[in-house]
Amino acid sequence: MVRQVWVIFFLTVFTLACIPASAYAQQNAEQFAMHLQLLNRTPATRNPQFKTWQNIMDARVLDGNRQLVGSLEDLKIDENGSVSELVSEISWVGDKNEIVKHPIGETTFLSGKNFFEVPLSVNADNRVTSPEALAAIAPAAGGGKLYSFKAMKGAQVLNTGGNWVGIVKDLLIDDEMRAVQALVLEDVPGARRYTEIAIPFDTEHISVNTRYDRIEFRLNPAAAKAVTDFARDSR
């Protein structure tokens, strides 16, 4: 009798614990699908709230006196999509160009003019002396990995089972240069009306991985289904 009571007790607790989790997952999936719809009401790449991959890669670098000293080489992105480091090519007077990195917190992004302002004094910690520093995947100072923003363009997007969802044609970062907000995909199965589909960069549904030293993105089943359903229903 006592054993039966304990079995009923544990089954009840397990059931009560699972129901909210399931409802929460469904709510998140619905929010992802709703955000997907909103992103694609107008071409996301024309949204003034975002900077496109090309906008960002065209950025120039200024010193503290607002003098032009170089150009953007890359951004380093963590696994949550946040911008972590700025990698720039600095032109020194009477010297060769030098690749330099700064934590994003040490820089100022001047959105209206598409400039980054960085400290001009460069110490040994900032100087990039090895090719690994510009690799697609690099270790982060606080652990984990940092990923090359430049290398994310053209990356494959798959579901967790390894099935094709699309390829990254563009990436969108918020106007304050804090984090990746969306991936713009092409070659999505079933897409006709939308040759490009913007999907929200939500780490509950999207993860960035590496395969053979190349970046790829994985969507969980709910997100992958939302993208393919949107492509099919929008024909």
Side-chain angles (χ1 to χ4, degrees):
M1 180 67 178
V2 174
R3 183 180 179 182
Q4 290 177 337
V5 170
W6 276 107
V7 169
I8 293 171
F9 172 78
F10 281 118
L11 286 174
T12 302
V13 171
F14 178 78
T15 302
L16 291 174
C18 288
I19 290 175
S22 175
Y24 179 75
Q26 182 177 354
Q27 183 181 20
N28 278 350
E30 291 172 353
Q31 289 176 346
F32 180 89
M34 184 181 301
H35 196 180
L36 179 68
Q37 296 275 352
L38 291 174
L39 268 175
N40 292 280
R41 283 187 174 177
T42 58
T45 53
R46 299 180 188 174
N47 189 326
Q49 296 179 349
F50 301 137
K51 293 289 186 183
T52 66
W53 185 93
Q54 194 62 59
N55 292 152
I56 294 162
M57 296 309 301
D58 285 342
R60 295 293 179 262
V61 177
L62 307 177
D63 64 11
N65 295 319
R66 301 282 174 92
Q67 299 297 311
L68 182 66
V69 294
S71 59
L72 181 72
E73 179 66 29
D74 203 354
L75 296 175
K76 292 299 182 177
I77 309 295
D78 69 18
E79 58 191 5
N80 296 314
S82 298
V83 179
S84 179
E85 290 181 354
L86 174 78
V87 182
S88 53
E89 183 176 9
I90 302 297
S91 303
W92 298 106
V93 177
D95 199 355
K96 295 181 179 179
N97 291 0
E98 188 169 31
I99 302 299
V100 176
K101 61 180 179 180
H102 289 93
I104 199 67
E106 294 181 0
T107 71
T108 301
F109 181 61
L110 308 174
S111 176
K113 297 183 178 180
N114 210 29
F115 288 127
F116 284 95
E117 183 180 324
V118 302
L120 183 58
S121 59
V122 178
N123 58 39
D125 292 335
N126 296 113
R127 297 177 189 273
V128 176
T129 58
S130 65
E132 290 78 11
L134 292 178
I137 308 99
K145 293 180 178 179
L146 294 179
Y147 300 87
S148 163
F149 176 76
K150 182 190 290 187
M152 286 179 171
K153 184 176 181 180
Q156 292 184 351
V157 182
L158 311 171
N159 65 17
T160 50
N163 297 317
W164 182 269
V165 177
I167 191 167
V168 178
K169 183 178 182 180
D170 209 338
L171 296 100
L172 306 179
I173 290 184
D174 63 275
D175 199 40
E176 296 181 1
M177 205 57 57
R178 291 174 299 184
V180 176
Q181 300 296 317
L183 306 178
V184 181
L185 309 188
E186 61 181 353
D187 295 338
V188 177
R192 292 185 182 178
R193 178 182 174 189
Y194 292 93
T195 56
E196 302 174 4
I197 297 177
I199 66 173
F201 192 91
D202 182 345
T203 53
E204 290 195 21
H205 299 279
I206 300 176
S207 62
V208 56
N209 303 288
T210 59
R211 187 180 184 189
Y212 305 120
D213 293 329
R214 298 187 65 180
I215 294 173
E216 69 175 23
F217 295 92
R218 294 275 179 152
L219 303 187
N220 67 17
K225 183 177 185 302
V227 173
T228 53
D229 284 353
F230 177 82
R232 184 190 64 246
D233 295 343
S234 300
R235 288 188 293 179

